[in-house]
Amino acid sequence: MKPVRIFKVIPSLPEELSSLRTIAFNLWWGWNEEAVKLFHRISPELWEQANHNPVALLSMVPQENWFTLIKDESFIAHMNRVKEDLNNYIKRTRWFEKEHPESQNAAIAYFSMEFGLNDCLPLYSGGLGVLSGDHLKSSSELGIPLVGVGLLYGQGYLTQYLSNDGWQHEVYAENDFSNMPVRIVNGQDDNPLKISVKMAEKEVMAEIWETDVGNIRLFLLNTNIEENDSFGKYITEKLYGGDNDMRIKQEILLGIGGLKALRAMDINPTVVHMNEGHSAFIVLERIRGLMKENGLSYSQAKLLSASSCVFTTHTPVPAGNEVFHPDMIEHYIGYIREEIGVTKEELFSLGKQNPKNSSENFGMTVFALKNSHYCNGVSKLHASVSRSMWSALWQGIDADEVPITHITNGINPNSWTSGEMQQLFLRYIGPKMLEEPENQKIWERVLGIPDNELWRTHERRRERLVAFIRRRLKKQLTERGASAKEIEEADEVLNPDTLTIGFARRFATYKRASLILSDLNRISKILTDKERPVQLIFAGKAHPRDDAGKEIIKHLYQVSKMPNLKNHIVFIENYDMNVARYMVQGCDIWLNTPRKPLEASGTSGMKVCFNGGLNLSVLDGWWNEAYNGKNGWSIGRGEVYMDYKAEDEVESSSLYDTLENDVILKFYNIGRDGLPREWIKMMKESMRTLCPVFNTNRMIYEYTEKSYIPAHNSWKTLSEDNFRGVREFSERFDLISKEWGSVKITELTADTSKPAQMGTQIEVTATVYMDGLNPDDITVEVCHGKLNYKGEIENSTCFAMSSVQNTGKGIYVFRGRIPCLESGKNGFSLRILPRNTYLTRKLVPGFVKWFENGVQ
């Protein structure tokens, strides 16, 4: 039956308790221990039933209970303290305001397809979303002038359950926005504010919703409204759902619709940050808006947009980067191409590594890289892999010079550190740990925490993890229709005093979740050793269409049911942020076994560090730069294999050897005082070396200093005085582009006929032809260094030569001196790059000329 009218019912909170609603609608409560305790205190049973959603909780509490709480002076005092903490949090002066007062008018828009902020707001599938959520939280703590933009999914990501044989099945629960910490944005007429996005000649309408994340506002678009037919209504139905058509519609809505939504609220970003390529269509909408509203040409708008765009890539394999057929691009957004006045070929070339290849599809990562002057990978190793992957975009330069830097991921400590561990830190490290988690000096104090207190705190979290697993397992068995005996036996699963290894993440095949089970006889002996037992906890979801990932889950589940292992191995269904918190706070060891170099970064192992856990991992992603030989363990030596079978054999053997010969012995080497002193020493080393580095406060500092501030300054410089800077920049760069084909080095002079002595210099003179240009338009560089066994320069150092003479007719002479610092075989090359006062990117795709006369 369809309703003829729709109305909303909200909890009737007494005025004395109105602060509860204010607290519930700011996700700050999720990383404030006292706020969580406050909601738990209202009704522990209802808090669990509400899945830790305070907005839903408020609607579930019987009215008479409120009147009881009004009379509870202790509860009222608790609520007032939390409300005051929130007020103080919102009002306090933050790092950005103190360090960058000149950039207070900056406006940064952070776009992501998913946001993992709390389990009560299921708008995420895994690591990318959780990272986005932690990005917003630390941006709030540091006072970054940033807003988030995403989509409001009607169903969110899948809910996982396993059949009796262990095969993953999926259900999709409906999100009830009226009982979630989100609210609709109204316009000046007090009606819901809506924007329109054109897709394939159809207008799709979207409502704008928002939620507060401390001081940060996150805006979310919803198309499931009555104005849309089925073409548009289901765009926001499901995260990563549907086919390629649905995916491109979601990405158009996120990028183009997201920017339109901000403009509708009078938010005009000076900096755009694209978290992965999903939102890259924002580039076209930025260009269109700049042309229409400010009278800029296409090339001017494109340059201005690129100079203030930040792009973070997360995917270290070409196949994982999204592409669309050019016909699909034209079908859905050809109207924008026509509006900005470019041909199909011009638009398609922006998404191709080789613009001349007619069979190459339009790549969203390629498009973002070409249109963002600030690009980064998410770990040092990942950036190196990305530079090699995308080096074809910068033909003519070595991969190590490709302008993709690294800003290694982190985690928000307040969100992931257990309350008990936070209290321990407050006692011995001080309150600044929560405010300045990136401060190395503060973390040196971890060495002063008494060993017994650190160990007992960690042991309590392991006990809580085991209790949680048993409750969760009993629930799983009950829902699966298991026998009463099976359900009763769940109380004997795991042991709170046993070395506990956790593995929880997306079940993609490259993550090799079953590597530790490669040799069942050997792992069985390890797990069931009477003197030194070990237990394994697995959790994670496979993509609905990833049957190979589902097979791994099935295999793990079936092994966990083997009679001799059923109390030592557990697979927990429906991995989410709540399960993640219990696991990272309670496991002794966090296991990570990806195929190197396919793990871009990873963040779950970082969460373990803040809770006293240790990492046992392949040297990939973040662990490749974090491991120092004393703060955890490595699996293998960091080799990259071409033979996967050999890789599995070598690394599974390394894993078993490390467990048997080091990890287990250290854990059970207990002194007369009941403490594993060697293990505790490693716990402290892990915290001391890893916690101050792998947190999102440090990460946000880096984004701000390396990307946000320079990008904002570019926008400010190029747009001031009616966009005078970008008009001049574009005019000159258009001329450089026009004349670039004829620019060349015609002659090179350098005396390399006899060995040079160390400490001396070799003078290099280059004659350059550049008719129509002048020395201010180009940079002539010498790139020099030692030669490898192939006769190639490795790790070259480049410096600019000086223009010393104009000989007329477009011919100029440049001169420089190469310092002779290392003995052995050295070499140098010359190259020409474009140069402009406003050019924020030294290496521009398609603009590098090398001297090609060969070795002389």
Side-chain angles (χ1 to χ4, degrees), residues 124-161:
Y124 64 97
S125 70
L128 179 72
V130 173
L131 175 72
S132 299
D134 282 5
H135 194 111
L136 298 192
K137 293 171 186 176
S138 283
S139 293
S140 170
E141 289 169 0
L142 296 173
I144 309 299
L146 178 146
V147 296
V149 182
L151 304 182
L152 187 62
Y153 301 104
Q155 295 183 336
Y157 199 54
L158 65 93
T159 299
Q160 175 199 55
Y161 72 94

Side-chain angles (χ1 to χ4, degrees), residues 79-117:
M79 179 188 71
N80 290 338
R81 281 199 312 274
V82 172
K83 180 61 166 39
E84 186 177 1
D85 285 347
L86 175 57
N87 289 340
N88 292 336
Y89 179 89
I90 297 296
K91 292 175 182 176
R92 79 178 186 215
T93 302
R94 288 171 163 75
W95 171 82
F96 188 88
E97 186 179 345
K98 289 185 284 189
E99 295 297 321
H100 293 286
E102 78 289 349
S103 299
Q104 293 306 302
N105 62 339
I108 302 152
Y110 178 83
F111 287 70
S112 184
M113 188 64 91
E114 49 178 299
F115 285 91
L117 290 154

Side-chain angles (χ1 to χ4, degrees), residues 605-622:
M606 301 174 189
K607 301 176 178 84
V608 170
C609 302
F610 285 86
N611 292 285
L614 297 172
N615 281 271
L616 170 58
S617 175
V618 169
L619 291 170
D620 196 12
W622 79 284

Side-chain angles (χ1 to χ4, degrees), residues 766-780:
T767 303
V768 180
Y769 174 78
M770 49 174 160
D771 193 25
L773 301 178
N774 62 58
D776 290 335
D777 294 322
I778 66 168
T779 298
V780 182

Side-chain angles (χ1 to χ4, degrees), residues 38 44 150 290 367 495 618-619 807 812:
L38 176 69
L290 286 167
F367 182 63
N495 185 321
V618 169
L619 291 170
T807 64
Y812 295 82

Side-chain angles (χ1 to χ4, degrees), residues 34 44 138 156 247-248 302 305 372 531 604 622 683 704 788:
E34 282 303 307
S138 283
R247 178 58 71 88
I248 197 171
K302 182 172 175 290
S305 174
S372 305
E531 297 293 322
S604 55
W622 79 284
M683 289 170 67
T704 302
N788 62 17

Side-chain angles (χ1 to χ4, degrees), residues 805-852:
Q805 186 179 2
N806 177 1
T807 64
K809 297 183 179 179
I811 298 174
Y812 295 82
V813 178
F814 289 76
R815 187 166 293 139
R817 286 182 171 83
I818 302 172
C820 300
L821 303 175
E822 291 188 83
S823 62
K825 256 190 169 179
N826 286 259
F828 73 90
S829 291
L830 301 186
R831 70 183 180 190
I832 305 174
L833 305 173
R835 180 157 61 99
N836 187 284
T837 304
Y838 299 112
L839 190 62
T840 56
R841 194 182 226 180
K842 175 185 174 182
L843 297 167
V844 181
F847 288 85
V848 59
K849 286 278 187 81
W850 290 92
F851 181 60
E852 296 179 347

